[in-house]
Amino acid sequence: MTMQPQTPPTEHPKQHRHPTDTRASQTRARLIGAFTDLMCTYPIDDITVKEVVAKAKLTRQTFYRHFSSKEDILDAKLDALYTECFAYIESHAPATYEAFLAAYFTFWHERHATLQTILEHNPHWLFTETAHAYTHRLYPLVRPFFPFSLGQFFPDFLFGGLVLAEATWLERGCQESPEAMAKELSEYWA
């Protein structure tokens, strides 16, 4: 059997967005927003798809066209948050590890009221477990600040510690400024 070489696409798929792509994004955003609002009210386990679609003013069929479960919405919400967080850090072009941490904690500080409310009703392990998936996206942003060889477990160690420190900081009401958090955590690597 002879394999035919595949010709690469001539354009990037996102170059010419179809109007239905925009509509689908808006619908997903409405469902995620409704779910987020409900997470601020009570535990994820108590939220039903029926409540999500009612709050979003959509149908169950629409929900299942975009998500297979409410856990999928949580994943989409966290993906959006971390994408936004990493873009925020990159836009600040930190020159030091401390500056990187300051940008990281400033981003979360600006969202602490919503995150605090969500954490009141939902265990932070849920977020830290899901957040672990973002280690690979954080690592390239941090790697330049460490001139030595880091080993295979360092990204997990770094991100796990950072997320748990963030969760504790949020639970305590962000008593320390983002700059104070950055200074303390950066000293661990001095």
Side-chain angles (χ1 to χ4, degrees):
M1 179 165 109
T2 306
M3 297 290 288
Q4 293 293 325
Q6 291 185 337
T7 55
T10 57
E11 64 182 45
H12 192 276
K14 291 186 180 181
Q15 285 178 338
H16 300 287
R17 286 205 139 155
H18 193 273
T20 56
D21 293 342
T22 302
R23 235 177 302 143
S25 294
Q26 291 170 345
T27 300
R28 283 179 62 85
R30 283 175 57 191
L31 289 165
I32 292 168
F35 183 72
T36 302
D37 289 348
L38 291 168
M39 279 195 309
C40 290
T41 308
Y42 48 91
I44 291 170
D45 290 342
D46 295 345
I47 299 170
T48 65
V49 170
K50 182 178 180 179
E51 290 170 311
V52 173
V53 297
K55 188 152 191 69
K57 296 183 171 85
L58 296 167
T59 65
R60 285 179 76 86
Q61 182 180 12
T62 301
F63 175 91
Y64 287 111
R65 198 174 306 133
H66 295 277
F67 300 103
S68 62
S69 67
K70 59 187 179 182
E71 288 76 16
D72 282 350
I73 295 179
L74 177 60
D75 288 343
K77 175 66 178 173
L78 288 171
D79 184 62
L81 274 172
Y82 278 103
T83 297
E84 194 179 337
C85 177
F86 298 156
Y88 181 90
I89 292 168
E90 287 178 322
S91 74
H92 284 75
T96 65
Y97 183 54
E98 186 172 333
F100 162 83
L101 290 170
Y104 180 85
F105 281 102
T106 297
F107 174 86
W108 295 110
H109 188 263
E110 291 172 358
R111 290 146 188 83
H112 87 276
T114 300
L115 293 171
Q116 188 89 22
T117 305
I118 291 170
L119 288 172
E120 283 175 17
H121 301 288
N122 298 283
H124 76 77
W125 63 261
L126 180 66
F127 292 91
T128 55
E129 183 178 290
T130 307
H132 177 66
Y134 298 95
T135 302
H136 68 284
R137 288 170 53 192
L138 177 78
Y139 186 63
L141 299 174
V142 175
R143 180 64 186 105
F145 305 119
F146 297 94
F148 48 87
S149 177
L150 299 174
Q152 66 181 356
F153 296 110
F154 182 78
D156 296 320
F157 175 74
L158 173 69
F159 193 64
L162 192 56
V163 169
L164 287 173
E166 173 195 340
T168 301
W169 179 62
L170 288 167
E171 286 175 356
R172 294 178 50 198
C174 302
Q175 294 174 12
E176 299 82 1
S177 70
E179 294 77 18
M181 288 296 292
K183 182 170 178 43
E184 181 175 338
L185 294 180
S186 70
E187 288 175 358
Y188 300 155
W189 303 101

